[in-house]
Amino acid sequence: MGERVLVTGGCGFIGSNFVRLLLAERPDWEIVNLDKLTYAGRLENLQDVANEPRYRFVKGDICDPAAVADAMDGCTMAVNFAAETHVDRSLLGATHFIDTDIKGVLVLLEQARRIGLERFVQISTDEVYGSIAEGSFTEESLLCPRNPYAASKAGGDRLAFAYWATYRVPVIITRASNNYGPYQYPEKLVPLFVTNALRDLPLPLYGDGRNVRDWLHVEDHCRGVLFLLEHGEPGEVYNIAGGNEHENIAITHTILRLLGKPETLIRPVEDRVGHDRRYSLDGGKLARLGWTPRVPFAEGLEATVRWYVDHEWWWKPVKDHDGEFQKYYEQQYGARLA
Ligand code: NAD
Ligand code: TYD
């Protein structure tokens, strides 16, 4: 029998990819998408499925109990992608991060408890572990978030666990690596550098450019979340690792090579304050359940770069109209966002 799934933050990067995956792969499921439409949430991200009868969009805030009660009504499962997500924005001001990434999670958990929801997936992040010099974090590792975004996500992550431990709300917590792919807001490394390079603007590389991230294609992330929605154990945490660790400078060189742009576009700038040196996840727990990512990094990155080349209509409007943060970024790093 079909499920009815509440997806929150479904108009953002990962959420929109997840909604599209569910509609394609679970033909008897219904989806309700609750999204506040912040700067990062765009109806354009799901315009191709907007008229699908099994899909319903509701504009609303996860911090608003009435909106959450309404959207969750009749749902059997929920997946919470809604969040403030950009580290540099959390350095400009962390209030929205605490509101959505902690208080919003509380509102969702309370409603899930009230109606006896059958599954609640809290999308957390590898950033809650902090930085690691060698080896990889397992789900048992200590949490040591080191920036306001990561700290707020750690709050939501542990609050979700508390609702399992205290009230037996059937919560599953996922911690994924850095995602890349289509529909990512052009403030994050890959889409920012691709769209800057396309305009022959400098690529502002923080510090020595040798910080390491583990990269996971967004479609793999979404497939992993769907797998856990159906096969995860309540009360458990699961890392979703990409298994593709690269220094930022290496990603930058690849992007420039794929676009046929000169390396003189690279501009070393001031380091991000508190910049985590390396993220690395051990994906063994999920692999032992039989799930591993599929997209080879070289292929995934090339397809992603091509997507931004082909979808200027998608990124141009937001790249050109991004007020307060744009000013902060340009002041902080002396480099342009648009
Ligand atoms: P995003 O910034 O692209 O999208 C966030 C979405 O949430 C937007 O549609 C926005 O409108 C919505 N939203 C924000 N506040 C809201 C509120 N109060 N109520 C309702 N909707 C609200 O983010 P993303 O990159 O797609 O990330 C999605 C989730 O995955 C986040 O929880 C993030 O922490 C997590 N995550 C992201 C990555 C990554 O690399 N992007 C990696 C691991 C985990
Ligand atoms: P980002 O995409 O912001 O993700 P996160 O900080 O959550 O990992 O950044 C990825 C890496 O790229 C990180 O080490 C910071 C670096 N970076 C730059 O060097 N320049 C930039 O303009 C941005 C946005 C990021």
Side-chain angles (χ1 to χ4, degrees):
M1 215 200 52
E3 307 283 349
R4 187 190 288 179
V5 187
L6 173 65
V7 176
T8 59
C11 293
F13 164 45
I14 306 173
S16 61
N17 279 282
F18 185 70
V19 167
R20 206 173 280 104
L21 177 81
L22 279 193
L23 287 171
E25 304 238 326
R26 294 295 176 273
D28 57 345
W29 289 22
E30 290 174 21
I31 296 146
V32 179
N33 170 14
L34 176 67
D35 197 299
K36 185 181 172 184
L37 299 182
T38 67
Y39 77 94
R42 301 177 64 203
L43 291 174
E44 290 92 324
N45 294 2
L46 285 172
Q47 67 184 23
D48 51 326
V49 299
N51 296 323
E52 163 67 54
R54 293 182 293 120
Y55 168 73
R56 183 161 72 94
F57 170 67
V58 180
K59 185 173 187 302
D61 189 332
I62 62 165
C63 300
D64 173 358
V68 166
D70 222 37
M72 207 183 274
D73 186 38
C75 290
T76 47
M77 301 172 157
V79 185
N80 179 30
F81 291 97
E84 290 293 336
T85 61
H86 191 37
V87 173
D88 286 303
R89 286 184 195 254
S90 80
L91 304 177
L92 173 62
T95 308
H96 291 319
F97 287 75
I98 303 301
D99 287 342
T100 294
D101 302 9
I102 302 181
K103 290 188 198 163
V105 178
L106 176 64
V107 172
L108 290 169
L109 289 165
E110 265 302 313
Q111 188 60 21
R113 175 188 171 206
R114 199 168 291 129
I115 69 168
L117 205 72
E118 291 164 25
R119 273 287 178 284
F120 183 102
V121 178
Q122 170 62 15
I123 305 295
S124 186
T125 165
D126 63 353
E127 301 207 18
V128 298
Y129 294 117
S131 193
I132 189 166
E134 280 170 26
S136 302
F137 290 117
T138 72
E139 292 81 354
E140 309 301 321
S141 300
L142 280 184
L143 303 191
C144 185
R146 289 169 24 90
N147 60 63
Y149 161 63
S152 66
K153 289 297 292 184
D157 175 318
R158 290 299 80 196
L159 199 55
F161 180 75
Y163 267 63
W164 159 255
T166 314
Y167 305 117
R168 285 294 181 261
V169 175
V171 160
I172 288 163
I173 295 153
T174 66
R175 297 179 185 147
S177 303
N178 280 60
N179 281 219
Y180 68 101
Y183 300 100
Q184 186 169 32
Y185 198 84
E187 64 187 355
K188 307 278 167 48
L189 180 75
V190 171
L192 175 65
F193 279 18
V194 173
T195 55
N196 270 19
L198 285 170
R199 288 184 165 179
D200 297 311
L201 290 171
L203 312 190
L205 191 61
Y206 299 162
D208 65 2
R210 302 201 55 196
N211 298 61
V212 172
R213 297 292 182 265
D214 173 36
W215 294 92
L216 172 69
H217 194 278
V218 66
E219 284 165 16
D220 274 332
H221 186 189
C222 292
R223 280 191 281 267
V225 171
L226 176 55
F227 177 84
L228 289 171
L229 189 60
E230 297 181 313
H231 304 288
E233 276 294 316
E236 292 292 315
V237 176
Y238 298 91
N239 289 343
I240 308 182
N244 301 296
E245 287 183 34
H246 297 282
E247 291 183 348
N248 295 334
I249 181 75
I251 307 258
T252 308
H253 284 305
T254 307
I255 290 172
L256 290 172
R257 181 176 53 72
L258 288 168
L259 291 172
K261 295 287 182 177
E263 302 207 342
T264 49
L265 282 181
I266 300 174
R267 177 181 300 169
V269 297
E270 190 82 3
D271 208 354
R272 178 189 270 171
V273 286
H275 193 179
D276 285 337
R277 190 65 172 167
R278 174 172 173 260
Y279 294 150
S280 180
L281 285 182
D282 182 325
K285 184 169 174 178
L286 201 41
R288 285 189 289 281
L289 289 180
W291 190 88
T292 46
R294 296 182 199 162
V295 182
F297 183 65
E299 279 173 35
L301 188 58
E302 188 172 350
T304 300
V305 170
R306 205 176 321 118
W307 190 87
Y308 289 96
V309 171
D310 293 342
H311 289 75
E312 189 179 357
W313 69 265
W314 181 85
W315 55 262
K316 191 174 181 302
V318 286
K319 200 168 173 66
D320 289 338
H321 300 280
D322 201 3
E324 194 195 1
F325 176 68
Q326 192 152 328
K327 283 196 212 91
Y328 161 80
Y329 184 93
E330 291 177 7
Q331 207 170 25
Q332 184 73 12
Y333 298 114
R336 288 166 58 186
L337 275 173

